[in-house]
Amino acid sequence: MNPRRQPQPFPPPAPVPPPLRLLVADDNPVVRAGLTALLSAHPDTTVVAEATDGREAYEAAVRHRPDVILLDVRMPGVDGISALPHLVGLAPVMMLTYSHETETVREALRLGAGGYLVHGEFTTEQLVTAVRDVREGRPHVTPGAARALLAELRGDAPAHEVPQLTAVSPDLAPKTLSHLQPPVGQSFRSRFRLSSREAEIMDLIASGMTNQQIAAACFISEKTVKNHINRIFAKLHSTTRSQATAKWLGVA
């Protein structure tokens, strides 16, 4: 009788690649916190450093050597466009911003940005995919930035007159954007069904204001602010300011 055949051992599991190490540069502390929380919680990515302007981004990139740099356009001090030529020699750079003006998009790509993502036009999974692709040299541009470039190719027509390139992303109305908390398109935020007062207070929350500061800015009591925030959190299905801000800014 033949001896019983011993089962072959299972092949070893394929090695899991380490998460990509990211540097997030944005002057808005709430945006930075939201992005850091989202990306660090994802198994494919982790944030190893943050920066508030281009100079800090350069210093952090030299110190931490990230795999990819996520860079805002408008920041006080050294802005993203000015810092970009110095950063692309250290790591692939993906612009992650609200600015989708034609000149800004064109200049960022000309200076070496590997991608250009406009807030409100991507999900967390799409952001992670874009980060990995940019790391591998595959460019990513969201529709708002693509429309700006297409408008220029068609003769500098206003970006909002160019047909939408994809149905999965909201249409952002061109506006003058502040460096601290630029608004995204109303069509994107309308899904939350916030009242005009709630939307105003949510903008102030996203800008980093405390309840006391919001009360002073809106000429209401702190108790009224808290009542508004409770209703806002319920509508955004959030329990913290960071969660609510991430959804409001389109990065959750």
Side-chain angles (χ1 to χ4, degrees):
M1 181 180 292
N2 293 330
R4 188 171 181 179
R5 210 170 187 183
Q6 293 298 317
Q8 295 296 316
F10 284 111
V16 178
L20 286 186
R21 304 171 68 256
L22 308 178
L23 163 62
V24 174
D26 194 300
D27 65 302
N28 188 325
V30 182
V31 173
R32 286 199 317 276
L35 286 170
T36 297
L38 288 169
L39 292 168
S40 293
H42 199 282
D44 287 347
T45 53
T46 185
V47 176
V48 296
E50 300 178 19
T52 62
D53 70 358
R55 184 180 300 279
E56 284 188 14
Y58 177 79
E59 294 171 351
V62 170
R63 186 163 57 252
H64 295 278
R65 295 293 173 174
D67 296 311
V68 178
I69 299 169
L70 305 183
L71 185 65
D72 189 19
V73 169
R74 289 190 172 91
M75 295 181 288
V78 179
D79 61 61
I81 297 297
S82 300
L84 186 54
H86 305 279
L87 295 173
V88 293
L90 300 174
V93 178
M94 184 168 67
M95 311 307 292
L96 187 59
T97 181
Y98 291 89
S99 304
H100 54 92
E101 293 91 342
T102 302
E103 181 62 31
T104 303
V105 177
R106 182 180 59 188
E107 186 68 3
L109 297 177
R110 186 186 72 80
L111 292 173
Y116 199 109
L117 272 60
V118 177
H119 282 302
E121 296 190 342
F122 55 85
T123 65
T124 303
E125 289 302 322
Q126 289 169 337
L127 173 59
V128 172
T129 298
V131 167
R132 284 209 166 272
D133 282 351
V134 167
R135 176 68 177 86
E136 298 301 322
R138 296 186 292 270
H140 260 262
V141 179
T142 51
R147 285 196 299 272
L149 294 175
L150 185 56
E152 182 179 29
L153 292 174
R154 290 182 174 181
D156 289 323
H160 63 279
E161 293 181 3
V162 178
Q164 180 122 351
L165 298 181
T166 176
V168 299
S169 298
D171 185 26
L172 302 188
K175 296 181 181 180
T176 302
L177 307 177
S178 72
H179 76 272
L180 177 61
Q181 183 53 51
V184 298
Q186 187 61 36
S187 60
F188 169 70
R189 290 180 171 176
S190 61
R191 65 190 175 103
F192 298 123
R193 301 186 182 279
L194 268 58
S195 68
S196 57
R197 174 60 101 179
E198 289 167 350
E200 178 187 8
I201 289 175
M202 190 59 235
D203 277 333
L204 298 177
I205 292 172
S207 73
M209 281 192 177
T210 64
N211 287 2
Q212 184 179 20
Q213 291 169 329
I214 294 172
C218 296
F219 300 98
I220 56 179
S221 68
E222 283 191 61
K223 182 179 179 181
T224 302
V225 172
K226 291 178 182 178
N227 291 336
H228 280 303
I229 290 176
N230 287 337
R231 288 192 290 271
I232 290 168
F233 281 9
K235 291 180 179 180
L236 269 62
H237 302 288
S238 302
T239 57
T240 67
R241 294 169 100 93
S242 293
Q243 287 178 354
T245 297
K247 291 183 178 181
W248 189 241
L249 298 179
V251 297

